[in-house]
Every structure is written in structure tokens, then in C-alpha cells.
């Protein structure tokens, strides 16, 4: 007798192509908080949060109410045809929250990739220069410009070229595997100074509109630059009149214990992109930036039919209330401290963990076969994730080598669920490490 999940899996394999990947075989019938329930009743602890989308938890009652409330009034007018308050209220709130004492403006789109596309359109328009500098290990999405800015070839780029022109890629502050062979802090953050060399060997600043960076590289392996990195990078951008776009699609909306991850580095980016957890699971992305830049593209130059959908905007207003007024951002910070403590003790116990890094509850464990050679433990990472899934813990990997375990659980996870999840992870690390 095949069960419901197997039936659905067969249907999926027959009717849906393999390209839209699945990291597990689970089919979900309902989810609440940090728990997802499979169609046959299996309960999973969710340490993946729909790839960083469920920071406030599955089906948070306030998000559900905001969705219902708006859907009962109207679902779509198209902001370009007839405007509505959730769009402008949310824009005003994000402008207030984003770092920088200068005036800001926000527009909305549907996905992270679309936010990146719009940010690039805006900076090119404003600077009237084509070049965009991005980074090794970056991930910015799957549309053509966003994919061109993305670093990892397999699976994101292989076979999909040609890519967008005028994209230049330089090394990032990946201290564990320093791309220029130095060691922090003796290096004096030479990887940021590298930008000035890059202007000689790759692209002139006079031909460059912007630098785009993730504060913590997400898909790239939760790579977390040292405190001095972004202040230095921003200074060089300012010196050459380049815009700095900070892509907070994965790291934003409270993921690092602050609403914007870049707040940890104390800089004021020109433009920030947000998506994922912004609307608690509803499709929505935001582009927030200096008003003088955001407002330059001509009327009709930016937009989209669904962009800033009222149901999504209302859900996002609820997410902001939960994080900022109900104390969930504070809880995220505490959760981050607990996780860092627990993961650091796992690092001490298990040789396979080469490095623990991240900020707040955005934590990655880079797994290596040997702490000296740092050979990526690729197969072991796959095995750990698969074994955890068999024990009902859903985890994701990331990293250019696929050897980083990333933790993206909802902040509403209960202490008991957290303990259970960490116990499964530790037991599995023990099995694979020995
Ligand atoms: C930093 C970053 N930018 C952009 C994207 C693309 O977002 P989306 O999948 O919503 O297009 C992602 C997705 O993982 C991301 O992590």
C-alpha cells in the first residue's frame, strides 16, 4: 500500500520538471510555529524556515489575520492603477527603520531576485554607468541579472548563459578560506582595499555604478565578514562615487537579531534589498534607499503588475509589529546567543566542524574532513542533513562546496523544540564524525 506522500511524489515526478529542486521528500499538510506536519502525519522540526522566510513562524496568528483581513477587502488593484494604504504605510515604516539619517524611499516587488534587478536598474540610471561589482560566493537570485551576479556555477548558472554584461566579481571577506591568502586581523582587511586594485585590473570606477554585497553571504556559506570590512568598503565606494547596495534578502527582517544585518557593521548603505521573511511567507520584496536615488528613474520606469500586492503588504505590516512591538526581535537576539553557545560547544567536541560563524540566529557550521587542510566535508554534510531528516529535523546546507550546515529556524521555536532539534543534530554529528 503506498501512502499519501508516495502518491504525491509520483504525481510530482510525472508532472513537474526536476529543475525546481526539492531538498527533502516531504509533502506538508499544515505548519505552525517551528513545526511542519507531513501529509501522513509525520511532524518535522523546522530549522530551514522555508529558506529563511518564516522568521516569525509558520501561520503566525497576526500574519494570518492580516492576510484574511486584507483578502476580505480586496486582493489586487495593481498599485499603478489604484493605490492603497498597506503599500505606503509599509514603505514609510521601512524608510524609518533602514539605517541612515538621510531621507529614504521604498518601492516593492515580488521576489528577492526582482528586488536585486530593480536595485541595479536604479543605480545604473542614477550613475549613468554600466559596471556592477559583485563578489565570489554571492547569491542574488535566478533571473538573468541576479543570476549573472550570482557566483556559484553548479547548479545556478551551468547551461544558462550567456549572462548579463558589465558584471565584475571580486573576492569576498571569507576569513576561514582567505581568497588572498592572508589571516585576520593581521591582514588589515586587505580584501576591502583590493577594490582599489580591482579598478586597475578589471573595471574603472568611472565605468562602475555600484558594488552589491550580502552582509552575510547566505547561499555562499553564511560567510560573515569581520567588523572592519563594510566600513572600509563603504569608504572606498564613497571615495569613487559608487553606490553600495546591500542585499538583505536572506539576512534581513530580523534574521541576525537586528532588523537589518548591516546594522552590525554600523554603515549606511545607499540601497537595501529585502524579501524572504519580510511578509511572513507571502511573496514580497522591498528596495529601500536614498530618496535622491530612488526617485530619479522616470515615471513608468519601474514597477510590475503584482508588485507590492496589498495582501503581502498587510502581512508585512503584521510581521513588523510582531518583530518590533511584540518583542520577537529581542527573542531572536537571545536565540542567537543560545545557538552560538551551543554550536561553539559542538565545535569543541566534533573535529568535523571547521568553523562556526554568523550573527544572531543566522548561524552556519562549515564542515571539513581535516581541520588543517580544510578539505570540505561535502558527502558528510549531505549525510548529516539526510540523517537529520530521517529523524524529523529539517536542515539545509549551503556554501560554494555545499559543506555548510545553515540554521534558519523560526524565532518562535519553543525551548523544547530547540533542544530536541539540537539533540538530533548533535547525535547525527557524532555518528558521522566517528
Ligand atoms: C541574498 C539573496 N538575494 C537574493 C535572493 C533571491 O531571492 P528569491 O529567491 O526570492 O528570488 C536570495 C535567495 O536565496 C538571497 O539569499
Amino acid at each position: 500500500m503506498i501512502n499519501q506522500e508516495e502518491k504525491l511524489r509520483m504525481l510530482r515526478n510525472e508532472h513537474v520538471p526536476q529543475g525546481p529542486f526539492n531538498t527533502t521528500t516531504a509533502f506538508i499538510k499544515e505548519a505552525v510555529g517551528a513545526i511542519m506536519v507531513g501529509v501522513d502525519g509525520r511532524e518535522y522540526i523546522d530549522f530551514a524556515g522555508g529558506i529563511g522566510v518564516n522568521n516569525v513562524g509558520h501561520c503566525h496568528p497576526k500574519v494570518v489575520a492580516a492576510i484574511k483581513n486584507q483578502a476580505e477587502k480586496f486582493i489586487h488593484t495593481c498599485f499603478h492603477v489604484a493605490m492603497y494604504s498597506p503599500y505606503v504605510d509599509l514603505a514609510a515604516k521601512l524608510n524609518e527603520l533602514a539605517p541612515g539619517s538621510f531621507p529614504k524611499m521604498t518601492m516593492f516587488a515580488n521576489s528577492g531576485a526582482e528586488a536585486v534587478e530593480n536595485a541595479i536598474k536604479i543605480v545604473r540610471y542614477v550613475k549613468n554607468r554600466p559596471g556592477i561589482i559583485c563578489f565570489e560566493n554571492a547569491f542574488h537570485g535566478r533571473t538573468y541579472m541576479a543570476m549573472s551576479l550570482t557566483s556559484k556555477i553548479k547548479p545556478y548558472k551551468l547551461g544558462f548563459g550567456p549572462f548579463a554584461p558589465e558584471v565584475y566579481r571580486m573576492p569576498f571577506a571569507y576569513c576561514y578560506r582567505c581568497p588572498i591568502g592572508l589571516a585576520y586581523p593581521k591582514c588589515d582587511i586587505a580584501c576591502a582595499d583590493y577594490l582599489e586594485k580591482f579598478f586597475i585590473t578589471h573595471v574603472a570606477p568611472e565605468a562602475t555604478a555600484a558594488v552589491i554585497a550580502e552582509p552575510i553571504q547566505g547561499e555562499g556559506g553564511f560567510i560573515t565578514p569581520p567588523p572592519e570590512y563594510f566600513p572600509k568598503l563603504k569608504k572606498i565606494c564613497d571615495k569613487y562615487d559608487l553606490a553600495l547596495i546591500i542585499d538583505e534578502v536572506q539576512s534581513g527582517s530580523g534574521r541576525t537579531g537586528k532588523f537589518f544585518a548591516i546594522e552590525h557593521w554600523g554603515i549606511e548603505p545607499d540601497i537595501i534589498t529585502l524579501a524572504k521573511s519580510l511578509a511572513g511567507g507571502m511573496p514580497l520584496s522591498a528596495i529601500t534607499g536614498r530618496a535622491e536615488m530612488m526617485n530619479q528613474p522616470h515615471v513608468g520606469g519601474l514597477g510590475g503588475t503584482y508588485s507590492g500586492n496589498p495582501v503581502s503588504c498587510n502581512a508585512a505590516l503584521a510581521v513588523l509589529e510582531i518583530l518590533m512591538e511584540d518583542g520577537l526581535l529581542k527573542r531572536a537576539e537571545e536565540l542567537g546567543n543560545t545557538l552560538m553557545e551551543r554550536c561553539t560547544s559542538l565545535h569543541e567536541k566534533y573535529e568535523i566542524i571547521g568553523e562556526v560563524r554568523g550573527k544572531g540566529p543566522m548561524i552556519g557550521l562549515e564542515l571539513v574532513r581535516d581541520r588543517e587542510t580544510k578539505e570540505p566535508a561535502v558527502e558528510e554534510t549531505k549525510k548529516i542533513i539526510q540523517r537529520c531528516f530521517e529523524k524529523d529535523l529539517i536542515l539545509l546546507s549551503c556554501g560554494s562546496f555545499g559543506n555548510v550546515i545553515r540554521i534558519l529556524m523560526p524565532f518562535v521555536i519553543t525551548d523544547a523544540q530547540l533542544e530536541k532539534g539540537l539533540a538530533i543534530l548533535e547525535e547525527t554529528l557524532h555518528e558521522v564524525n566517528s
Side-chain angles (χ1 to χ4, degrees):
M1 258 284 280
I2 63 166
N3 62 26
Q4 176 71 353
E5 190 174 281
E6 280 159 2
K7 260 193 231 158
L8 287 168
R9 212 148 49 221
M10 282 160 63
L11 206 61
R12 185 256 180 262
N13 291 341
E14 189 180 347
H15 295 286
V16 182
Q18 61 180 355
F21 65 108
N22 306 106
T23 68
T24 73
T25 52
F27 269 92
I28 297 303
K29 67 172 175 188
E30 57 198 36
V32 67
I35 298 294
M36 295 196 285
V37 185
V39 285
D40 294 312
R42 204 170 140 189
E43 277 194 15
Y44 302 97
I45 299 176
D46 185 6
F47 273 20
I51 323 192
V53 169
N54 295 303
N55 286 358
V56 302
H58 293 276
C59 293
H60 190 291
K62 280 197 173 173
V63 174
V64 174
I67 293 170
K68 276 190 183 162
N69 194 353
Q70 182 56 46
E72 277 166 6
K73 290 182 190 151
F74 61 95
I75 295 172
H76 177 83
T77 60
C78 184
F79 185 71
H80 311 308
V81 175
M83 298 174 282
Y84 36 85
S85 68
Y87 191 116
V88 292
D89 289 345
L90 183 61
K93 286 214 153 81
L94 292 176
N95 293 340
E96 200 187 310
L97 277 175
S101 47
F102 42 82
K104 283 161 243 149
M105 283 184 167
T106 292
M107 62 167 280
F108 297 106
N110 303 294
S111 65
E114 227 189 307
V116 168
E117 298 281 339
N118 279 285
I120 300 298
K121 281 173 71 174
I122 294 166
V123 293
R124 280 186 168 161
Y125 193 99
V126 170
K127 301 288 182 189
N128 196 19
R129 301 175 210 146
I132 304 292
I133 296 175
C134 58
F135 291 93
E136 288 175 3
N137 305 302
F139 184 89
H140 296 290
R142 294 169 182 272
T143 52
Y144 264 94
M145 185 65 200
M147 176 176 56
S148 303
L149 295 167
T150 290
S151 176
K152 191 171 173 176
I153 307 300
K154 280 187 192 172
Y156 304 126
K157 300 174 85 161
L158 182 73
F160 296 128
F163 304 108
E166 291 300 329
V167 167
Y168 301 90
R169 188 176 312 285
M170 66 170 232
F172 194 61
Y174 189 177
C175 298
Y176 185 64
R177 298 178 189 275
C178 177
I180 49 178
L182 301 174
Y184 177 79
K186 268 201 186 148
C187 62
D188 199 23
I189 325 294
C191 55
D193 294 323
Y194 192 85
L195 181 53
E196 291 196 272
K197 272 193 210 147
F198 200 78
F199 291 147
I200 299 165
T201 53
H202 288 75
V203 60
E206 297 86 345
T208 306
V211 171
I212 181 165
E214 298 155 84
I216 296 180
Q217 288 186 322
E219 305 297 305
F222 280 29
I223 300 168
T224 312
E228 304 89 337
Y229 181 72
F230 282 111
K232 210 168 189 187
L233 195 71
K234 175 76 172 111
K235 218 167 153 188
I236 302 172
C237 288
D238 289 347
K239 183 172 159 193
Y240 292 93
D241 185 32
L242 309 192
L244 179 60
I245 303 168
I246 291 293
D247 182 353
E248 293 255 15
V249 166
Q250 190 157 164
S251 60
S253 308
R255 189 67 240 169
T256 65
K258 295 194 188 288
F259 188 78
F260 295 98
I262 199 65
E263 293 173 60
H264 291 281
W265 284 268
I267 64 151
E268 297 173 353
D270 299 296
I271 293 186
I272 298 180
T273 52
L274 280 173
K276 291 202 186 270
S277 275
L278 176 62
M282 295 296 288
L284 185 71
S285 61
I287 306 99
T288 297
R290 285 181 186 275
E292 82 222 27
M293 287 188 177
M294 295 294 294
N295 214 21
Q296 271 194 48
H298 53 265
V299 173
L302 303 170
T305 306
Y306 292 117
S307 299
N309 169 274
V311 182
S312 296
C313 287
N314 219 36
L317 286 166
V319 167
L320 283 184
E321 189 181 311
I322 297 160
L323 288 170
M324 313 309 286
E325 288 162 39
D326 300 352
L328 198 65
L329 193 60
K330 184 92 195 80
R331 156 85 178 141
E333 196 187 336
E334 289 157 11
L335 182 63
N337 293 338
T338 309
L339 274 174
M340 189 47 99
E341 206 176 286
R342 297 295 295 274
C343 291
T344 305
S345 93
L346 292 177
H347 180 233
E348 280 158 17
K349 270 195 185 150
Y350 301 103
E351 280 285 307
I352 194 169
I353 302 177
E355 188 180 56
V356 174
R357 56 179 176 252
K359 292 206 181 278
M362 182 172 185
I363 289 188
L365 312 174
E366 176 152 358
L367 305 188
V368 290
R369 291 223 164 115
D370 179 320
R371 283 192 179 179
E372 283 297 308
T373 65
K374 299 184 181 174
E375 181 190 348
V378 181
E379 288 313 311
E380 293 84 345
T381 308
K382 277 190 199 143
K383 200 164 156 189
I384 289 169
I385 286 174
Q386 177 56 28
R387 285 289 299 132
C388 283
F389 177 64
E390 286 159 15
K391 299 175 197 174
D392 302 335
L393 172 68
I394 295 191
L395 270 174
L396 296 172
S397 65
C398 61
S400 291
F401 308 105
N403 67 323
V404 181
I405 291 179
R406 57 173 149 174
I407 296 180
L408 285 168
M409 80 267 288
F411 309 152
V412 293
I413 192 165
T414 65
D415 290 344
Q417 290 160 354
L418 178 68
E419 283 312 313
K420 193 168 167 199
L422 288 173
I424 294 172
L425 175 60
E426 172 154 17
E427 183 189 277
T428 313
L429 277 166
H430 185 75
E431 282 166 26
V432 174
N433 195 68
S434 48

